[in-house]
Amino acid sequence: TQLPRYAEWLRAVEHDLRNDAVSAQWVAERADDASVFWTELMRPLSHDVAAVLGKASDAQVDELFRNLDARTREQMKTFVNREDHVLIQERAERLEQRLRRWLGRMNADQRSRIQAWSEDLGLFAHEWLENRARWQTQFRHALDESDRRPESLQPALERLMVHPEQTWSPDYVERLERQRKATWLLLSDLYQMSSESQRDRLTARAGGLARDFERLSCATLEPDPGQRR
């Protein structure tokens, strides 16, 4: 049901890219669009998750939280318990690697800009994990309070899945907002520093994804072969 909207959005992005209509404000607006798509996806999904958890055994729920705790310990080793300069460098490298799918290999100016962005952000993985733990605590509380009855659990799950920021500390919310603004400015700067071939690659990626969604949209609308008979 959502694929046609995604395709239309990507076509608009493709159009803007072809016309070099890219700025930090443009990036922020496109991110807001994506956030709306995510919210609309999570809301109905919360009903499905509530139904699945309603049928889970106590042992399965306990295993779920053991796995979440194990993931947190693993992330502490990866993103916290390391030297500061190593964490900053690895963050810059991760972002550069992700952007290569869209822009190809970064040039020297782009790599320097990414490095400066990572250094300016500082370190906040510990705060991220603390707020993840706050979310997890409320998740467990919702399961216990509802006795895992889907009709009682779903409203709490919708809040946790659609608006997780409601469980975060005010300081963390404020810091994330600063990080987002810095990242939108970074992406705009990287685009302005990009070569013609990089821009062509980015535009082609947007158009290619739009075509994929358009084809998938048509496939979902085709009648069942048995019905045609």
Side-chain angles (χ1 to χ4, degrees), residues 70-181:
R71 180 63 182 266
T72 298
R73 290 192 297 270
E74 178 182 323
Q75 290 172 329
M76 281 288 291
K77 294 178 181 177
T78 303
F79 299 114
V80 177
N81 298 333
R82 313 272 298 286
E83 294 184 4
D84 291 358
H85 73 276
V86 173
L87 294 171
I88 289 171
Q89 181 62 37
E90 288 183 346
R91 178 168 57 198
E93 291 172 355
R94 284 195 302 273
L95 181 61
E96 180 178 346
Q97 186 63 34
R98 290 167 182 163
L99 290 174
R100 281 187 180 182
R101 291 184 57 204
W102 305 93
L103 291 169
R105 187 176 297 277
M106 301 288 107
N107 60 45
D109 288 341
Q110 289 170 325
R111 286 194 295 271
S112 295
R113 181 64 179 87
I114 292 172
Q115 183 66 32
W117 163 84
S118 187
E119 292 173 358
D120 290 344
L121 284 187
L123 299 174
F124 58 93
H126 195 277
E127 297 171 60
W128 164 55
L129 290 174
E130 283 181 349
N131 283 275
R132 173 191 168 104
R134 291 163 66 103
W135 184 93
Q136 187 173 317
T137 297
Q138 293 203 27
F139 178 32
R140 187 67 190 247
H141 181 71
L143 287 173
D144 293 341
E145 285 291 302
S146 66
D147 291 327
R148 299 206 294 276
R149 298 190 307 274
E151 66 276 9
S152 300
L153 177 59
Q154 189 277 325
L157 276 184
E158 181 173 325
R159 181 179 66 87
L160 290 169
M161 295 174 66
V162 176
H163 299 292
E165 70 279 0
Q166 293 181 3
T167 70
W168 301 339
S169 69
D171 288 345
Y172 183 63
V173 171
E174 182 180 348
R175 181 158 189 178
L176 272 185
E177 183 59 25
R178 291 198 303 269
Q179 177 192 348
R180 289 190 185 102
K181 290 179 179 178

Side-chain angles (χ1 to χ4, degrees), residues 197-210:
S197 63
Q198 286 178 320
R199 295 186 185 194
D200 287 346
R201 179 188 178 100
L202 178 60
T203 304
R205 287 281 295 172
L209 285 172

Side-chain angles (χ1 to χ4, degrees), residues 204-224:
R205 287 281 295 172
L209 285 172
R211 286 192 298 275
D212 289 344
F213 284 132
E214 287 162 354
R215 290 166 181 162
L216 288 168
S217 299
C218 291
T220 61
L221 296 175
E222 289 181 359
D224 181 85

Side-chain angles (χ1 to χ4, degrees), residues 50-61:
V52 170
L53 290 174
K55 297 177 182 179
S57 66
D58 291 343
Q60 287 175 318
V61 172

Side-chain angles (χ1 to χ4, degrees), residues 14-33:
E14 181 187 17
H15 175 270
D16 289 345
L17 291 172
R18 290 192 185 281
N19 290 278
D20 289 335
V22 175
S23 65
Q25 180 63 31
W26 181 87
V27 175
E29 290 171 355
R30 301 295 73 74
D32 288 343
D33 294 340

